[in-house]
Amino acid sequence: DIQMTQSPSFLSASVGERVTLSCRASQNINKYLDWYQQKLGEAPKLLIYNTNNLHTGIPSRFSGSGSGTDYTLTISSLQPEDVATYFCLQRNSWPYTFGAGTKLELK
Amino acid sequence: QVQLKESGPGLVQPSQTLSLTCTVSGFSLTSNSVHWVRQPPGKGLEWVGAIWSGGSTDYNSALKSRLSISRDTSKSQVFLKMNSLQTEDTAIYFCTSFITWGQGVMVTVSS
């Protein structure tokens, strides 16, 4: 199985700050990497699919990049409503696997 | 508007079988795949399995021996059955197209 390692596990940042979250795969996943946002008590919400495609309705402050084994989610200017846990998901091969998540809080 | 909604018992006894239903609307099961994902309380997400548009299935290898996913296209429903439940199967179970997610159903395994 492909292992997905997210870093950091926890991040505290200020409103307006640029935030970068990372996800590393144990092998090449050919850009089949999605990012989800999960707020407390809610289902995950798709933000980015296939590395860098912004899902419909997602604010443009969210962006994704990467290739091979290393991928990044960037929030260009953190907003209070971005407080959540962020998960990456690889869909390159079975079984699909998630990262353990990055919990993002306001400083 | 695409919607998925899980239903099933909130409490299951150890060693018993879990049966969950995912009712979808706004899209066809013969054109889209549906996946089950679970999340133990306070923990991360685990892909459980999927049923593809053609009706074939794939399962998490760790759960494969206990798991069955099927569907009724006429009712727009997908079913998950997992036997020999243990306390570590306690989780929120989501059905999802990976674009749209259901609200999830909390399943507690306890006597």
Side-chain angles (χ1 to χ4, degrees):
Chain A
D1 298 1
I2 295 177
Q3 306 302 314
M4 304 300 294
T5 303
Q6 285 189 246
S7 60
S9 298
F10 177 84
L11 181 60
S12 181
S14 301
V15 172
E17 188 174 340
R18 182 182 182 88
V19 170
T20 300
L21 284 61
S22 295
C23 186
R24 173 167 288 178
S26 59
Q27 62 191 71
N28 182 6
I29 56 171
N30 297 302
K31 296 192 173 185
Y32 289 103
L33 189 285
D34 305 333
W35 289 97
Y36 291 87
Q37 177 193 67
Q38 187 178 32
K39 296 183 178 181
L40 197 63
E42 297 182 5
K45 175 182 172 182
L46 178 64
L47 299 175
I48 303 279
Y49 63 95
N50 293 346
T51 296
N52 57 9
N53 295 279
L54 195 67
H55 183 50
T56 303
I58 302 302
S60 59
R61 65 180 179 273
F62 291 93
S63 64
S65 64
S67 64
T69 61
D70 293 322
Y71 298 84
T72 298
L73 173 69
T74 299
I75 307 173
S76 60
S77 177
L78 186 67
Q79 300 302 303
E81 60 266 31
D82 300 335
V83 169
T85 299
Y86 293 82
F87 294 97
C88 60
L89 167 69
Q90 70 81 18
R91 292 182 294 107
N92 182 70
S93 59
W94 302 110
Y96 291 170
T97 44
F98 291 90
T102 293
K103 187 173 183 180
L104 179 58
E105 293 191 352
L106 285 181
K107 188 180 292 182
Chain B
Q1 182 183 3
V2 175
Q3 290 186 318
L4 300 92
K5 185 173 183 179
E6 306 87 350
S7 58
L11 181 66
V12 179
Q13 293 194 340
S15 79
Q16 297 302 302
T17 297
L18 171 66
S19 295
L20 296 177
T21 299
C22 174
T23 303
V24 310
S25 58
F27 77 99
S28 169
L29 292 179
T30 58
S31 301
N32 296 276
S33 60
V34 172
H35 302 252
W36 289 94
V37 173
R38 70 180 184 177
Q39 185 172 37
K43 296 189 177 180
L45 300 162
E46 179 182 33
W47 179 79
V48 173
I51 187 162
W52 299 97
S53 57
S56 63
T57 53
D58 278 296
Y59 303 125
N60 186 318
S61 56
L63 303 172
K64 189 173 184 177
S65 63
R66 303 192 288 133
L67 186 61
S68 173
I69 297 175
S70 60
R71 69 184 185 184
D72 183 336
T73 56
S74 67
K75 295 182 178 179
S76 294
Q77 291 181 325
V78 175
F79 309 104
L80 177 149
K81 289 190 187 298
M82 185 183 300
N83 58 34
S84 304
L85 252 62
Q86 302 301 320
T87 55
E88 51 265 34
D89 295 312
T90 293
I92 300 172
Y93 285 74
F94 297 98
C95 63
T96 177
S97 65
F98 282 133
I99 296 174
T100 303
W101 292 62
Q103 63 193 18
V105 59
M106 179 68 206
V107 174
T108 301
V109 181
S110 175
S111 55

